[in-house]
């Protein structure tokens, strides 16, 4: 659903840019409350993982493919504010390095793919968690439903933006029907990926899943016929090592997905590309500002082997995304932990 330059006119693109900038500013402040010594490193990993999985287009209908948007996954794993930042970092890297998503449309893409999916998914997720039994399975089920509905919600928002600033004269009802229809199917893939990922993390480290906080009660032991709190399972050092292990496994998985599995992804156009071509929305598409980038179209230029060129581009993308994302989240975390400057009394 990466919107290229030329789909939306300049005034509406500018407005969405302001909306996106405001949301990112709010998210930077909100992320200070979400990030701690465990989730700050995980947030950079989540951004890199989303980048990698977005390279894996899966077929959803004849001649159409889809890919993960990632807002639901990020919000549930690291929190809604940090989730917006995760997806925004991915979109920024894709637009600058890989010519994927227009630079003048960056505000549109952040509003649609980062803000909409994260807000809708997390609101649905929290609502479901409140009514479902407090179990790990409930977290996975809530993740599935939230991710499923977040994708057609993003399709609705794109349709609304197009209605306000589309550069082609296509009946909005046709755009709405086509966008929502195909993205309901894509949402199923999003839901499966999100539920499997959340379920895998919560099975081994539920304390690392933002949406599962408070899920499990403290372990109790029966002593002399009475239940008492069990001692801590591991010292702080062990927990730190365990977090590093999870991070290591996650980054290796992202590198394998982007560097190897991505070669087998569907080559069919994604939902927005297909609708744009069929309905004529792409009539005024403009060339990407970084179309001459050495990594444009997720392929390293001047490398003749397509598999090697694409795999190397994916590995570079994961590396850059995790470095930039980790830098952002480290800085946000540092702002949270910095002591406030002492105020000296004024002279009377």
């Amino acid at each position: 659903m990466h919107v290229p330059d030329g789909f939306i006119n300049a005034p509406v693109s500018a407005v969405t840019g302001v909306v996106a900038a405001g949301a990112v500013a709010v998210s930077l402040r909100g992320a200070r409350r979400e990030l701690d010594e465990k989730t700050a490193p995980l947030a950079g990993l989540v951004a890199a993982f989303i980048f990698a999985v977005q390279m894996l287009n899966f077929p959803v209908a004849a001649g159409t493919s889809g890919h993960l948007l990632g807002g639901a996954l990020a919000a549930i794993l690291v929190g809604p504010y940090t989730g917006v930042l995760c997806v925004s970092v991915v979109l920024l890297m894709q637009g600058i390095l890989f010519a994927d998503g227009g630079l003048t449309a960056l505000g549109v893409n952040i509003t649609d793919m980062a803000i909409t999916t994260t807000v809708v998914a997390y609101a649905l997720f929290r609502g479901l968690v409140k009514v479902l039994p407090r179990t790990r399975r409930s977290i996975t089920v809530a993740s599935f439903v939230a991710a499923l509905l977040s994708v057609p919600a993003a399709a609705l928002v794109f349709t609304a933006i197009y209605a306000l600033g589309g550069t082609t004269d296509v009946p909005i009802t046709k755009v709405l029907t086509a966008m929502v229809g195909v993205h309901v199917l894509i949402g199923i893939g999003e839901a499966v990926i999100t539920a499997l990922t959340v379920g895998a993390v919560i099975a081994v480290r539920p304390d690392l899943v933002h949406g599962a906080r408070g899920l499990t009660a403290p372990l109790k032991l029966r002593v002399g016929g009475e239940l008492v709190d069990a001692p801590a399972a591991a010292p702080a050092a062990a927990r730190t090592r365990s977090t590093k292990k999870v991070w290591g496994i996650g980054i290796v998985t992202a590198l394998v997905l982007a560097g190897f599995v991505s070669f087998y992804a569907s080559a069919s156009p994604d939902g927005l590309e297909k609708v744009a071509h069929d309905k004529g929305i792409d009539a005024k598409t403009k060339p990407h500002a970084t179309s001459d980038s050495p990594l444009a179209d997720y392929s390293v230029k001047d490398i003749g082997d397509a598999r090697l060129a694409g795999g190397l581009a994916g590995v570079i993308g994961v590396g850059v995304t995790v470095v930039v994302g980790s830098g952002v989240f480290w800085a946000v975390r540092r702002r949270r932990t910095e002591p406030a400057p002492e105020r000296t009394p004024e002279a009377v």
Side-chain angles (χ1 to χ4, degrees):
M1 202 183 289
H2 294 75
V3 178
D5 296 317
F7 274 28
I8 307 299
N9 63 30
V12 174
S13 294
V15 171
T16 58
V18 172
V19 172
V24 169
V26 171
S27 297
L28 285 168
R29 294 181 63 88
R32 297 180 196 172
R33 301 190 298 271
E34 294 174 345
L35 295 171
D36 55 29
E37 67 279 359
K38 292 186 295 185
T39 55
L42 182 64
L45 171 62
V46 169
F49 183 79
I50 290 173
F51 174 91
V53 180
Q54 283 197 2
M55 294 183 67
L56 308 180
N57 280 47
F58 48 84
V60 294
T64 309
S65 69
H67 63 72
L68 181 81
L69 298 185
L73 177 63
I76 295 165
L77 288 179
V78 293
Y81 294 108
T82 308
V84 169
L85 298 179
C86 284
V87 182
S88 297
V89 166
V90 173
L91 294 172
L92 183 62
M93 295 300 100
Q94 290 171 332
I96 293 175
L97 297 179
F98 299 93
D100 189 10
L103 296 184
T104 62
L106 185 60
V108 175
N109 286 321
I110 290 177
T111 300
D112 194 28
M113 295 176 65
I115 301 169
T116 300
T117 58
T118 302
V119 171
V120 170
Y122 197 71
L124 289 170
F125 175 81
R126 295 309 307 175
L128 289 169
V129 167
K130 288 182 179 179
V131 299
L132 292 173
R134 295 184 62 78
T135 64
R136 294 181 181 181
R137 181 173 297 180
S138 296
I139 297 295
T140 304
V141 171
S143 300
F144 183 95
V145 176
L148 173 65
L149 296 178
S150 70
V151 178
L156 285 172
V157 170
F158 168 78
T159 304
I161 293 173
Y162 177 81
L164 294 173
T167 56
T168 54
D169 187 18
V170 178
I172 195 63
T173 53
K174 291 185 177 180
V175 177
L176 175 63
T177 302
M179 283 294 292
V180 173
V182 71
H183 284 92
V184 166
L185 299 177
I186 295 173
I188 297 173
E190 178 102 10
V192 171
I193 295 170
T194 300
L196 287 176
T197 305
V198 171
V201 177
I202 204 172
V204 294
R205 287 296 302 271
D207 58 305
L208 295 181
V209 179
H210 179 89
R213 289 182 177 178
L215 175 66
T216 56
L219 180 64
K220 299 284 187 178
L221 294 178
R222 186 173 297 278
V223 179
E226 296 183 359
L227 289 176
V228 298
D229 290 337
R239 291 195 299 270
T240 302
R241 286 194 300 270
S242 180
T243 301
K244 291 180 179 179
K245 183 178 180 180
V246 170
W247 194 93
I249 293 173
I251 198 66
V252 168
T253 301
L255 289 170
V256 170
L257 292 175
F260 177 73
V261 181
S262 62
F263 181 78
Y264 302 97
S266 173
S268 299
D270 67 21
L272 177 59
E273 290 175 315
K274 180 67 172 175
V275 172
H277 177 73
D278 290 347
K279 305 301 179 183
I281 297 174
D282 59 354
K284 296 185 178 180
T285 303
K286 298 178 180 179
H288 199 283
T290 63
S291 57
D292 58 349
S293 164
L295 298 173
D297 298 323
Y298 300 94
S299 180
V300 178
K301 288 186 177 180
D302 300 326
I303 294 182
D305 187 286
R307 178 176 297 186
L308 179 60
L312 184 56
V315 169
I316 293 172
V318 169
V320 172
T321 302
V322 76
V323 168
V324 173
S326 297
V328 169
F329 300 124
W330 176 83
V332 173
R333 169 65 180 159
R334 185 179 180 186
R335 289 286 301 273
R336 171 183 173 178
T337 57
E338 280 182 349
E342 294 184 4
R343 301 181 61 180
T344 57
E346 297 180 355
V348 178

